[in-house]
């Protein structure tokens, strides 16, 4: 998810996407711990998506 896409979401949508992304990240980590992922770069991209969403949510709460 790109930063421009994140900025277009509402606060409720940000919270929903953040929850989904965090769940996806934990699922990927668990799967990678059991047996190596075919594409371990997925972990990095999902982790960065979580960070983007959390940052935008925090930014909006401060305003």
């Amino acid at each position: 998810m790109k930063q421009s896409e994140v900025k277009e979401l509402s606060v409720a949508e940000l919270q929903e996407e953040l929850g989904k992304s965090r769940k996806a990240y934990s699922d990927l980590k668990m799967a990678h711990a059991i047996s190596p992922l075919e594409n371990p770069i997925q972990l990095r991209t999902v982790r960065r998506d979580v960070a983007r969403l959390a940052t935008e949510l925090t930014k909006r709460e401060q305003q």
Side-chain angles (χ1 to χ4, degrees), residues 15-59:
Q15 291 173 339
E16 183 181 334
E17 285 295 321
L18 183 59
K20 287 179 186 177
S21 294
R22 283 185 173 157
K23 172 129 177 55
Y25 181 64
S26 66
D27 291 345
L28 280 173
K29 273 180 52 176
M30 192 69 73
H32 187 62
I34 294 170
S35 64
L37 292 175
E38 188 173 313
N39 184 8
I41 302 301
Q42 286 176 318
L43 287 170
R44 180 172 56 190
T45 57
V46 174
R47 185 177 65 237
R48 288 181 179 176
D49 285 344
V50 168
R52 277 190 199 100
L53 292 165
T55 301
E56 184 66 25
L57 198 56
T58 302
K59 180 180 167 184

